[in-house]
Amino acid sequence: MNDGLGAGSDAPDGPASDADADAADPAKNADAADTTGDADAVPDDEREALLTIAGGAVITAGGVSGQRALTAATEFFLARGLGPAAYGVYALAWRIAQLCSRLVTFGSVPALQRYLPEYADDPDRQGVVAGLAYATTLGFGAAIAAGIWLAAPRIDALTVEDASFPPTMRAFGFLVGLLGVVMVASAVFRAVGSARGEIAFNKLLRPGVRLVGALAALALGYSVVGVAGGIVVATALLAAVAAPLSARVTGIVPSLRGVLREAGRFYNHAAPVAMSSLGKVFQNRVDVLLVGALLTATAAGVYNVVLVLIAIAWIPLMAFNQLLPPVASELYADGRTETLNAVYGSVTRQIVTTVVPILAVLAVFGRELLGLFGEPYVAGYVPLVVYLVGVFVGSAVGATGWLLMMTDHQYARMALDWLLAALNVALTYAFVVRYGLVGAALGTSLAIAVQNGIQVVLLRRFEGLWPFDRTYLTPLAAGGVTLVAMRAIRAVVPGLAAVVVGAAGGLAVYAGALRVLGVDPRDRLVARELAARYRARLAERLRR
């Protein structure tokens, strides 16, 4: 499928004289020849998969960047408006609600990614799968809300011991089910290959309504309990819109007619994934709980700001993983394992290439970025750097968890999640007691590194999938040069200006280093074809 891209896209629709002028332009001819050479080196099915995933990544990166900006704005206003202690109460309650929201769908989101593409020719079965996902989420949402209502005083006694925590936590208990509905609606968009729909609801509207609800509560003079209530009301309005709009746009209408015939296969996939999610709560989110239980409310607020910056570093992995699961599911179902392996390797290298400069900026200018939230939050710099090591390892191996699930090894992942969860709880507890906030980051970073290392070995053992080759050295070497350049800029440029100058200068150095060291033909192909696609769309809009 040409899509009007590649070498042929250089030929304009204008008069012959314009075409002759282009033919006489050696730069354009060379560029077209390079693009053709890259395309010839990549098989058609691999090329189509790479462009699908990378195209979704471009859209997702924009959406996730917007999400992170909205999240950072919310945390900025709350940290400034509530003060360190009250903000710490909010941060702990919010993080607990987020942990519960990872469980509320009971594995329905990965199950949607697994089965909606497979049932593309059977809308009725797709509707039943969607209906199961919504019903499961609502049921678990109600159960979690009831559990949080009863447990809130006990959680307060074990953690911050603040009178405002129980009502705040109880309000967020109702939020969990509402978030689950939005997540399922977004997952339906994602499963049918619509990155825009998923991004609109899950990446932009969800944090957007949280920001609006929080600001409205602050403007009305409410403290932390009122802020929680404002966020719940705003999210309820979003959930009421998300489900029917998802059905209308995708054509997948949730239904429970014939649910008994589909439930066995659905829960056979969803249940172990849900158990994996529960294990992952203890594996790489126990740090949040232990900071609240063993340290102070202020420390919980500082750690929450660290997690806000860490979330930026996860953007490349999230972006490329947006459409990789349905693509991987389709390739695996068709028995095209060799193509899947090639796609896995290329996508993982592109993730590494994208994440390296982000990690460099956060590592070099982390103190200045934390200081934006207030002077007390600069104490989170060392935990930030420690956590970045885990982010690098998690990004460097790519979508190991998703690929285990999409290749029907969800039980292996569940067992691994629980094994490492038990180990991580013990290690992180010891680290927090001994090292404080740094220990929390160390435990989580170590857990991320160990799990992803084991998962990449399991993928090779089970399916022969292995992403690494010598081309990975290129972005790593370029990143080393960039890190040195940024540190040099920070040494001579004072204050926040160093962040702007250093980031811009570092990115320029990184791009130059990549060009000198050489870029893989697949990466050049993806970059050029997507650039051509967006240039064509921009030109079309300008002509209107």
Side-chain angles (χ1 to χ4, degrees), residues 353-371:
T353 303
T354 310
V355 78
V356 162
I358 298 175
L359 295 177
V361 170
L362 292 175
V364 175
F365 304 109
R367 287 188 178 88
E368 288 79 4
L369 294 172
L370 289 167

Side-chain angles (χ1 to χ4, degrees), residues 92-93 96 100 142-162 165-171 173 289:
L92 180 60
I96 292 174
C100 292
I144 289 172
I148 288 177
W149 185 275
L150 296 174
R154 181 59 178 165
I155 297 173
D156 176 56
L158 293 173
T159 56
V160 293
E161 296 182 318
D162 189 292
F165 181 84
T168 302
M169 190 70 257
R170 284 171 168 169
L289 303 177

